[in-house]
């Protein structure tokens, strides 16, 4: 069975500082990996995804993530955050080629950007 | 915008009453999903559909049923609501083309008193 671990429930950071949100997964098969962002009182918006190919994936709003198969990680990074990046971030995994494409989510990380 | 709407957006109901939430899509996607979001749990899959009248259970399906009689509508029913079903419910679709990317609706906040 697949699982996703986001160890940090909350990450406080000052504006213009770099940030890394950690995501580790467990799976016995190859996977697709996703990061979603949820702004207050809104739905989930796709930030970026890894399906295959280059392990460094660039997404919207200046975010990027690196797939590391040996460490089963997919950490999200941004070199300089803004107040507007304050949101909850969810890492998710689905089975590569699975017929139903079910997503397994982590518990989320709240990024709190302070001025 | 994947053309997904959910109704109602907010609902307060009492324990023991039936509740139906609706997810509507405008782009003819085959796969549709219902998730619930709770603090400390992230999103968990309740049920999903892979076509008209084709549905299956997710990891937290107890107390929920679904129906899909038309491609565009996926209904989630709580037969007899309980306080443990107080949650935010999200519908998602997977695009038929492309690969394995789900897009989410705006959510329904349900409170069961």
């Amino acid at each position: 069975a697949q699982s996703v671990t986001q160890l940090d429930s909350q990450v406080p950071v000052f504006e213009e500082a770099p940030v890394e949100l950690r995501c580790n997964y467990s799976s016995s098969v190859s996977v697709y990996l996703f990061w979603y962002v949820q702004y207050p009182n809104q739905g989930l918006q796709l930030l970026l995804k890894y399906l295959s190919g280059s392990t460094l994936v660039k997404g919207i709003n200046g975010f990027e993530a690196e797939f590391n198969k040996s460490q089963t990680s997919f950490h999200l990074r941004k070199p300089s955050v803004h107040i507007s990046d304050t949101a909850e971030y969810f890492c998710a995994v689905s089975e590569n080629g699975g017929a139903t494409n079910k997503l397994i989510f982590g518990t989320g990380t709240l990024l709190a950007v302070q001025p | 915008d994947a053309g997904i709407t959910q109704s109602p957006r907010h609902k307060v109901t009492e324990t023991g009453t039936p509740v139906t939430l609706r997810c509507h899509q405008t782009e003819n996607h085959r796969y549709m999903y219902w998730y619930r979001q709770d603090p400390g749990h992230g999103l968990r899959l309740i049920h999903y559909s892979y076509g008209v009248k084709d549905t299956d259970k997710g990891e937290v399906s107890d107390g929920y049923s679904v129906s899909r009689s038309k491609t565009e509508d996926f209904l989630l029913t709580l037969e007899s609501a309980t306080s443990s079903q107080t949650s935010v419910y999200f519908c998602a679709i997977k695009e038929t083309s492309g690969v394995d990317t789900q897009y989410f609706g705006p959510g329904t906040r349900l409170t069961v008193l």
Side-chain angles (χ1 to χ4, degrees):
Chain A
Q2 299 167 336
S3 66
V4 177
T5 301
Q6 293 181 249
L7 286 173
D8 303 308
S9 60
Q10 187 167 350
V11 173
V13 63
F14 288 107
E15 195 173 18
E16 298 183 5
V19 70
E20 178 180 84
L21 306 184
R22 297 180 294 167
C23 172
N24 288 89
Y25 69 93
S26 173
S27 177
S28 58
V29 299
S30 58
V31 296
Y32 296 140
L33 294 156
F34 305 83
W35 276 99
Y36 286 87
V37 58
Q38 184 180 33
Y39 298 103
N41 298 312
Q42 294 188 26
L44 276 74
Q45 179 181 357
L46 181 67
L47 202 55
L48 50 78
K49 60 186 176 184
Y50 172 79
L51 304 178
S52 65
S54 173
T55 57
L56 184 62
V57 179
K58 294 190 182 299
I60 61 173
N61 301 338
F63 283 93
E64 63 181 30
E66 186 160 18
F67 170 57
N68 188 319
K69 188 175 181 179
S70 63
Q71 297 188 8
T72 60
S73 67
F74 190 54
H75 300 333
L76 181 70
R77 302 186 185 99
K78 186 170 183 179
S80 176
V81 296
H82 302 288
I83 294 288
S84 59
D85 292 323
T86 294
E88 190 150 25
Y89 292 79
F90 291 94
C91 182
V93 62
S94 74
E95 183 180 314
N96 186 339
T100 55
N101 310 120
K102 291 182 284 186
L103 283 176
I104 304 298
F105 282 87
T107 52
T109 298
L110 178 62
L111 176 63
V113 182
Q114 306 166 23
Chain B
D1 185 356
I4 308 168
T5 57
Q6 293 185 232
S7 59
R9 294 294 312 281
H10 301 272
K11 186 172 182 65
V12 179
T13 190
E14 295 188 348
T15 298
T17 60
V19 176
T20 296
L21 308 182
R22 179 183 183 233
C23 177
H24 179 78
Q25 56 143 329
T26 59
E27 300 183 7
N28 212 35
H29 299 298
R30 180 183 174 191
Y31 287 90
M32 299 183 76
Y33 308 81
W34 276 108
Y35 293 86
R36 60 178 290 173
Q37 182 181 22
D38 304 289
H41 291 278
L43 280 81
R44 292 177 291 174
L45 181 65
I46 305 171
H47 282 279
Y48 64 97
S49 169
Y50 46 96
V52 172
K53 298 186 179 179
D54 292 323
T55 65
D56 206 347
K57 296 178 180 180
E59 62 176 309
V60 290
S61 59
D62 287 348
Y64 301 95
S65 62
V66 290
S67 65
R68 193 169 178 199
S69 58
K70 300 184 291 184
T71 299
E72 58 265 36
D73 289 324
F74 191 31
L75 304 181
L76 177 70
T77 297
L78 291 65
E79 302 289 349
S80 178
T82 67
S83 59
S84 64
Q85 294 176 312
T86 291
S87 187
V88 181
Y89 292 86
F90 288 99
C91 174
I93 60 92
K94 188 189 85 70
E95 293 182 323
T96 304
S97 60
V99 290
D100 295 272
T101 302
Q102 292 185 25
Y103 294 90
F104 287 79
T108 294
R109 183 175 296 276
L110 176 67
T111 301
V112 183
L113 302 175

